[in-house]
């Protein structure tokens, strides 16, 4: 496995926190699992309650739900974290917000009730594509791997959540094990987070099925295929479920906690605010549906030329066309970088470095060449790309190889 080891994170923000969640206008992008093929269920001017469905993706039987009580203000457009302009529902937060009622024993749910809650409260993966979590739990499973590895430079939002909510996370993992009758759970924590390793080791002593694993700090150890191999030595073809394994990001576990313990969707998340143009890198608690433009006045930036906004980290993130990015469940960071002129791009000279580096074992250079040839792409498997960005990072000709592979992947 090829890997990149980053030096100390220059813009480490793990010890600072700010709360910017006091926002009234909520934008909900109509995207599920990167697809915009969803049907809108609401009309402008109508009242909506927290947890009511806004739109449904019929083929996945999954709804996007409202994170607030309010009024549908508009059906408009916004920027999604992958840079696309997509349709969104705009909600004005109005009236008293619902009180959260606590469920005493979350171990008592049946598996059917568990799946129903994850579906009803719109739980999706908070570490990558917003894939509905209930689908991952439908098969019979034996192992849960909780991914608290966070291997991208700059990003520390999972670290903060894992530290702030360790009791809730352990309670939820214990319930998931019991409800799904799992044999074991591994919480994978990056070796650089020694404080997290101690917290989780000390607080799981009485849970015989929960094991804490310290994993090496390299990129892309957080990719589920790599992580599963590292921890269980197992390999799979298409999905970890083939081996009875489910992988959840640690933030997703917190979203499951909200669904089980309070019967509600997640309405806020930590987002790392970092990059060379931020005066004090931090983690901000932001409401789901926040437009970056609305909280920008609270972020102290270093004056200078134009800023480049990036959603996510420097490897997997995406440079945005403008600053009205929306905070979604799967947005872990926003970087503010100098918008320096892009590096000069040279022709590909077939060095093969992108092929050597690709953890998905595909041939990025050939996919790039055949990006507009659907017949040829069939044999090149661009759908296996995990969008890690290692091919672009390594390319000596400065070719953004990943963008070609992503285009090929989306076209299939
Ligand atoms: S972005 Fe895709 S093609 Fe490029 S190295 Fe990563 S997995 Fe391979
Ligand atoms: S790394 Fe760049 S130059 Fe080398 S083969 Fe891949 S695309 Fe071509």
């Amino acid at each position: 496995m090829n890997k990149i080891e980053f030096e100390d994170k220059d813009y480490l923000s793990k010890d600072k926190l700010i709360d910017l969640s006091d926002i009234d206008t909520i934008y909900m992008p109509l995207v599920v699992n990167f697809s915009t093929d969803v049907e809108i269920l609401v009309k402008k001017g109508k009242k909506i309650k927290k947890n009511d469905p806004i739109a449904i993706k019929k083929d996945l039987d999954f709804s996007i739900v409202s994170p607030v009580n309010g009024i549908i203000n508009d059906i408009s457009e916004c920027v999604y974290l992958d840079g696309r302009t997509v349709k969104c529902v705009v909600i004005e937060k109005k009236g008293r917000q619902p009180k959260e009622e606590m469920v005493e024993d979350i171990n008592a749910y049946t598996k059917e009730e568990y799946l129903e809650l994850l579906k009803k409260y719109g739980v999706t993966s908070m570490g990558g594509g917003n894939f509905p979590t209930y689908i991952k739990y439908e098969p019979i499973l034996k192992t849960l791997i909780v991914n608290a590895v966070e291997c991208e430079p700059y990003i520390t939002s999972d670290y903060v959540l894992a530290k702030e909510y360790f009791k809730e996370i352990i309670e939820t993992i214990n319930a998931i094990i019991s409800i799904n009758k799992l044999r074991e759970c591994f919480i994978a924590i990056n070796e650089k987070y020694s404080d997290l390793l101690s917290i989780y080791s000390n607080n799981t002593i009485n849970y015989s099925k929960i094991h804490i694993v310290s994993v090496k700090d390299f990129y892309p150890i957080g990719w589920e295929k790599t992580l599963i191999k590292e921890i269980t030595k197992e390999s799979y073809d298409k999905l970890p479920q083939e081996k009875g394994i489910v992988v959840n990001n640690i933030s997703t576990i917190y979203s499951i906690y909200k669904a089980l313990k309070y019967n509600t969707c997640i309405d806020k998340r930590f987002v790392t605010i970092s990059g060379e143009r931020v005066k004090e890198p931090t983690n901000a608690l932001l409401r789901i549906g926040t437009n970056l433009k609305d909280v920008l006045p609270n972020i102290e930036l270093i004056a200078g030329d134009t800023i480049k906004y990036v959603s996510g980290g420097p490897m997997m993130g995406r440079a945005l066309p403008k600053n009205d990015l929306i905070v979604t469940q799967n947005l872990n960071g926003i970087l503010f970088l100098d918008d320096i002129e892009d590096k000069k791009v040279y022709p590909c000279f077939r060095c093969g470095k992108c092929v050597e580096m690709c953890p998905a074992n595909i041939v990025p250079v050939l996919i790039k060449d055949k990006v507009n040839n659907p017949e040829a792409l069939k044999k090149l498997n661009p759908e296996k790309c995990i969008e890690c960005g290692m091919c672009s990072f390594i390319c000596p000709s400065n070719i953004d190889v990943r963008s070609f592979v992503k285009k090929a992947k989306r076209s299939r």
Side-chain angles (χ1 to χ4, degrees), residues 90-220:
V90 187
I91 307 168
E92 203 58 33
K93 184 152 76 80
K94 283 249 178 331
R96 198 179 293 161
Q97 296 302 307
K99 221 174 134 219
E100 292 183 348
E101 305 281 350
M102 196 170 84
V103 172
E104 210 46 62
D105 181 10
I106 60 171
N107 291 345
Y109 291 117
T110 62
K111 174 130 181 181
E112 290 68 33
E113 288 167 337
Y114 172 75
L115 296 177
E116 205 43 49
L117 288 170
L118 301 194
K119 201 196 277 194
K120 183 170 177 189
Y121 298 113
V123 179
T124 61
S125 122
M126 292 183 68
N130 57 340
F131 186 72
T133 303
Y134 88 90
I135 298 173
K136 287 188 170 190
Y137 278 93
E138 279 181 329
I140 295 172
L141 300 165
K142 60 174 185 86
T143 304
L144 165 65
I145 296 180
V146 177
N147 183 348
V149 168
E150 206 163 48
C151 56
E152 268 222 59
Y154 294 80
I155 305 297
T156 54
S157 51
D158 278 353
Y159 166 85
V160 167
L161 177 129
K163 197 165 170 182
E164 288 279 305
Y165 296 111
F166 71 90
K167 285 191 185 134
E168 291 82 351
I169 284 165
I170 294 169
E171 181 185 356
T172 312
I173 291 170
N174 191 42
I176 295 173
I177 292 173
S178 148
I179 296 166
N180 291 277
K181 301 188 177 23
L182 303 181
R183 255 192 250 159
E184 62 205 344
C185 164
F186 298 96
I187 308 181
I189 299 176
N190 197 311
E191 60 180 358
K192 73 186 169 209
Y193 293 152
S194 52
D195 50 350
L196 274 193
L197 282 163
S198 312
I199 291 172
Y200 279 83
S201 298
N202 294 338
N203 287 280
T204 52
I205 288 171
N206 297 325
Y207 297 88
S208 61
K209 291 187 174 180
I210 303 180
H211 312 284
I212 310 304
V213 187
S214 165
V215 296
K216 291 249 169 282
D217 182 23
F218 67 84
Y219 186 83

Side-chain angles (χ1 to χ4, degrees), residues 120-370:
K120 183 170 177 189
Y121 298 113
V123 179
T124 61
S125 122
M126 292 183 68
N130 57 340
F131 186 72
T133 303
Y134 88 90
I135 298 173
K136 287 188 170 190
Y137 278 93
E138 279 181 329
I140 295 172
L141 300 165
K142 60 174 185 86
T143 304
L144 165 65
I145 296 180
V146 177
N147 183 348
V149 168
E150 206 163 48
C151 56
E152 268 222 59
Y154 294 80
I155 305 297
T156 54
S157 51
D158 278 353
Y159 166 85
V160 167
L161 177 129
K163 197 165 170 182
E164 288 279 305
Y165 296 111
F166 71 90
K167 285 191 185 134
E168 291 82 351
I169 284 165
I170 294 169
E171 181 185 356
T172 312
I173 291 170
N174 191 42
I176 295 173
I177 292 173
S178 148
I179 296 166
N180 291 277
K181 301 188 177 23
L182 303 181
R183 255 192 250 159
E184 62 205 344
C185 164
F186 298 96
I187 308 181
I189 299 176
N190 197 311
E191 60 180 358
K192 73 186 169 209
Y193 293 152
S194 52
D195 50 350
L196 274 193
L197 282 163
S198 312
I199 291 172
Y200 279 83
S201 298
N202 294 338
N203 287 280
T204 52
I205 288 171
N206 297 325
Y207 297 88
S208 61
K209 291 187 174 180
I210 303 180
H211 312 284
I212 310 304
V213 187
S214 165
V215 296
K216 291 249 169 282
D217 182 23
F218 67 84
Y219 186 83
I221 177 70
W223 179 35
E224 50 185 35
K225 209 162 202 166
T226 318
L227 200 56
I228 289 172
K229 187 85 186 161
E230 191 83 7
I231 294 174
T232 67
K233 312 288 172 239
E234 298 219 57
S235 307
Y236 61 86
D237 181 25
K238 291 200 169 88
L239 294 169
Q241 284 84 339
E242 291 159 22
K243 302 284 177 177
I245 300 173
V246 58
V247 182
N248 282 151
N249 182 275
I250 199 151
S251 302
T252 312
I253 298 289
Y254 187 67
S255 182
I256 297 175
Y257 169 78
K258 296 293 279 186
L260 303 188
K261 189 82 178 179
Y262 290 100
N263 292 170
T264 188
C265 64
I266 194 147
D267 57 0
K268 295 172 191 170
R269 68 155 296 150
F270 288 113
V271 177
T272 300
I273 305 288
S274 192
E276 65 231 14
R277 294 293 293 276
V278 175
K279 233 177 207 161
E280 283 197 80
T282 186
N283 276 290
L285 184 64
L286 293 171
R287 196 170 275 286
I288 303 295
T290 299
N291 190 323
L292 173 61
K293 268 197 308 204
D294 295 339
V295 290
L296 263 183
N298 301 299
I299 299 169
E300 243 192 301
L301 299 174
I302 297 167
D305 296 334
T306 332
I307 289 178
K308 177 157 88 178
Y309 303 91
V310 173
S311 60
M315 296 301 289
M316 297 212 54
R318 173 82 190 219
L320 301 166
K322 46 190 178 172
N323 67 2
D324 57 356
L325 169 71
I326 306 302
V327 175
T328 46
Q329 291 190 19
N330 53 344
L331 180 76
N332 58 4
I334 306 170
L335 303 184
F336 298 74
L337 305 173
D338 282 323
D339 193 10
I340 39 174
E341 258 186 55
D342 285 340
K343 285 181 262 177
K344 191 168 172 13
V345 177
Y346 299 94
C348 169
F349 60 101
R350 295 296 199 256
C351 69
K353 286 196 170 158
C354 56
V355 186
E356 273 170 38
M357 208 65 182
C358 177
N361 292 325
I362 51 178
V363 187
V365 59
L366 282 187
I367 297 173
K368 170 183 80 62
D369 292 348
K370 305 288 180 193

Side-chain angles (χ1 to χ4, degrees), residues 3-14:
K3 40 182 119 160
I4 303 174
E5 286 175 33
F6 291 102
E7 309 231 319
D8 280 353
K9 291 183 179 185
D10 285 333
Y11 301 102
L12 198 67
S13 55
K14 66 187 172 69

Side-chain angles (χ1 to χ4, degrees), residues 358-360 362 364 385-391 402 405:
C358 177
I362 51 178
C385 170
I386 58 162
E387 305 183 12
C388 65
M390 286 173 63
C391 48
R402 178 182 67 160
V405 183

